[in-house]
């Protein structure tokens, strides 16, 4: 007698995730092609401008997800590193004549240095206390940007920042700026994937799951926290450098606590420890203000309602709480087991 087949009770969402896991590379390639074609198909400045905002916030959300989603450290001051990158690029380009590539590199480095300087004395603190420290750092940086008149021009901001220029090619058209932002997003995704698929990524996951157990296994918890915090800060600085050249003007209001909360909201809504989730969350919350222009006075209420629903319905975010690599490995193992049982059943029948 053969065993009765098990009743397959997989839901629609589970089936979608499994199909995604099986064809993750193909799906990623399709989305990349769509992103490349977007400004060609929707060749209007309004649409391209919104898309550029989506790309900038996707980089910021990804960089925050590295420290908050993958490592489990809540940060409420990510906009501070965004501002460090932006002000570094603005000051170096307007006063020293540096080009975009140089300012992007230096903005990334300076933000990483600030991440290390903040992390060294504070990353031994845990939980909500660390979150409060990052909040305080964000406020300190805003006050410095607001009051250091000789360096940042205070509330007047820095204007006349040169447009993005790569090897002498001025990126004046919106479509050119879009492709620069897309390349920066791809670089960010590749960096995070490289980290999480390495030994360092396994250590990060172990620290997030159980810091005490990871320490007992010989993982240098503090070292990895510093490394991840600095890389996360550096990627935010890269986004800030591009933002400064893209906007041509910056002031402290763009890097305040509200901005940090917006970036955190994108990360939570899209999905903790999820690269597609960060991009999805950033895109939705970048497009939503344009959709809600007719009810602009109630926009914050809609944001709050969405977050409340997400926390109750899916605490890990829409695309969070699953690992495509692990799901694919499980499906491959199930396939091998099924094949083995079928071969064994065929031998018994013979």
């Amino acid at each position: 007698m053969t065993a009765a087949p098990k009743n397959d009770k997989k839901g629609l969402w589970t089936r979608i995730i499994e199909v995604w896991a099986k064809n993750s590379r193909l799906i990623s390639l399709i989305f990349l092609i769509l992103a490349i074609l977007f400004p060609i198909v929707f060749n209007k400045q309004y649409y391209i401008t919104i898309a550029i905002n989506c790309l900038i916030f996707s980089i910021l959300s990804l960089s925050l997800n590295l420290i908050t989603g993958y490592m489990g450290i809540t940060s409420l001051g990510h906009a501070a590193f965004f501002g460090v990158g932006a002000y570094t690029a603005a000051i170096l380009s307007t006063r020293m004549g540096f080009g975009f590539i140089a300012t992007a590199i230096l903005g990334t480095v300076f933000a990483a240095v600030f991440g290390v300087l903040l992390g060294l004395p504070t990353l031994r603190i845990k939980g909500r206390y660390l979150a409060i420290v990052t909040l305080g750092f964000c406020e300190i940086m805003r006050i410095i940007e607001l009051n250091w008149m000789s360096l940042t021009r205070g509330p007047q901001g820095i204007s006349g920042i040169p447009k993005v220029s790569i090897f002498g090619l001025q990126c004046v058209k919106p479509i050119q700026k879009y492709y620069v932002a897309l390349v920066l997003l791809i670089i960010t995704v590749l960096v995070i994937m490289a980290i999480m698929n390495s030994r360092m990524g396994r250590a990060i996951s172990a620290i997030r799951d159980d810091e005490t157990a990871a320490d007992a296994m010989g993982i240098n918890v503090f070292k990895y926290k510093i490394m991840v915090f600095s890389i996360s800060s550096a990627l935010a600085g890269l986004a800030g450098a591009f933002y400064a050249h893209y906007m041509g003007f910056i002031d402290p209001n763009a890097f305040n606590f509200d901005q940090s909360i917006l970036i955190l909201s994108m990360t939570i809504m899209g999905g903790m420890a999820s690269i597609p989730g960060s991009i999805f969350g950033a895109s939705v919350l970048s497009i939503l203000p344009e959709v809600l222009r007719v009810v602009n006075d109630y926009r914050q209420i809609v944001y709050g309602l969405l977050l409340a629903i997400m926390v109750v319905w899916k605490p890990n975010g829409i695309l969070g709480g699953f690992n495509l690599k692990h799901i694919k490995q499980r499906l491959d193992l199930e396939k091998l087991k099924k094949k083995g049982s079928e071969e064994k059943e065929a031998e018994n029948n013979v």
Side-chain angles (χ1 to χ4, degrees):
M1 292 180 66
T2 58
K6 293 181 179 179
N7 186 24
D8 188 1
K9 295 183 178 179
K10 291 181 180 178
L12 177 61
W13 182 246
T14 303
R15 292 178 180 277
I16 291 171
I17 296 300
E18 288 183 352
V19 171
W20 186 3
K22 289 178 184 177
N23 306 282
S24 58
R25 291 186 179 180
L26 177 61
I27 292 171
S28 298
L29 180 61
I30 291 171
F31 274 102
L32 177 59
I33 292 170
L34 291 174
I36 292 171
L37 293 176
F38 177 85
I40 299 173
V41 176
F42 299 95
N43 192 16
K44 287 187 178 180
Q45 184 172 347
Y46 175 71
Y47 295 131
I48 296 175
T49 300
I50 294 173
I52 292 172
N53 288 333
C54 291
L55 294 174
I56 293 172
F57 279 106
S58 292
I59 297 171
L60 290 168
S61 180
L62 282 166
S63 63
L64 180 60
N65 215 341
L66 182 61
I67 188 73
T68 299
Y70 287 104
M71 180 153 270
I73 298 174
T74 303
S75 173
L76 299 178
H78 208 59
F81 304 108
F82 182 41
V84 169
Y87 270 97
T88 300
I91 292 166
L92 291 176
S93 61
T94 55
R95 301 187 186 182
M96 300 183 184
F98 282 34
F100 170 69
I101 294 177
T103 59
I105 293 171
L106 290 171
T108 303
V109 170
F110 270 85
V113 170
F114 272 84
V116 172
L117 292 176
L118 176 64
L120 283 173
T122 62
L123 283 178
R124 297 188 189 278
I125 307 171
K126 297 180 182 179
R128 55 184 176 272
Y129 303 108
L130 179 58
I132 292 170
V133 169
T134 58
L135 167 61
F137 175 73
C138 182
E139 187 62 18
I140 289 169
M141 292 304 299
R142 188 188 70 84
I143 291 171
I144 290 173
E145 293 161 1
L146 201 59
N147 292 283
W148 197 345
M149 296 294 296
S150 61
L151 183 67
T152 65
R153 287 174 50 84
Q156 297 176 6
I158 299 176
S159 59
I161 303 169
K163 298 298 181 184
V164 176
S165 177
I166 300 174
F167 302 118
L169 176 64
Q170 284 267 340
C171 298
V172 179
K173 297 180 180 179
I175 191 170
Q176 295 171 328
K177 299 173 186 176
Y178 172 89
Y179 284 124
V180 173
L182 181 61
V183 168
L184 295 180
L185 175 59
I186 292 170
I187 291 171
T188 303
V189 170
L190 292 176
V191 167
I192 294 176
M193 287 179 63
I195 291 170
M196 296 312 302
N197 291 328
S198 67
R199 181 180 176 183
M200 181 180 176
R202 292 189 290 274
I204 291 169
S205 299
I207 293 168
R208 178 194 62 204
D209 294 337
D210 193 326
E211 186 175 320
T212 305
D215 187 45
M217 291 169 61
I219 296 173
N220 191 330
V221 174
F222 184 68
K223 182 187 79 171
Y224 281 110
K225 281 186 176 182
I226 289 291
M227 290 172 66
V228 171
F229 204 78
S230 63
I231 294 170
S232 173
S233 304
L235 293 174
L238 176 64
F242 173 78
Y243 177 82
H245 286 278
Y246 167 64
M247 295 299 293
F249 170 82
I250 59 170
D251 67 359
N253 292 326
F255 316 108
N256 56 19
F257 174 65
D258 290 344
Q259 195 79 296
S260 292
I261 293 300
L262 177 59
I263 299 166
L264 183 61
S265 301
M266 292 171 174
T267 305
I268 293 172
M269 179 182 176
M272 302 293 278
S274 171
I275 291 175
S278 286
I279 297 172
F280 175 78
S283 299
V284 168
L285 290 185
S286 295
I287 295 170
L288 199 59
E290 301 301 320
V291 177
L292 297 176
R293 277 186 181 276
V294 290
V295 287
N296 191 53
D297 294 338
Y298 305 99
R299 189 169 63 188
Q300 295 300 327
I301 296 175
V302 174
Y303 281 172
L305 186 61
L306 279 174
L307 283 177
I309 292 170
M310 286 306 306
V311 169
V312 174
W313 177 54
K314 276 186 72 69
N316 288 321
I318 293 174
L319 299 179
F322 58 86
N323 188 310
L324 294 177
K325 184 179 178 181
H326 293 169
I327 293 172
K328 187 176 186 304
Q329 290 173 346
R330 177 176 59 79
L331 292 173
D332 291 342
L333 184 61
E334 288 176 357
K335 187 177 179 182
L336 286 173
K337 286 181 178 179
K338 184 178 179 182
K339 185 178 179 182
S341 63
E342 289 175 352
E343 290 176 352
K344 188 175 181 180
E345 186 179 341
E347 288 176 1
N348 291 336
N349 291 335
V350 172

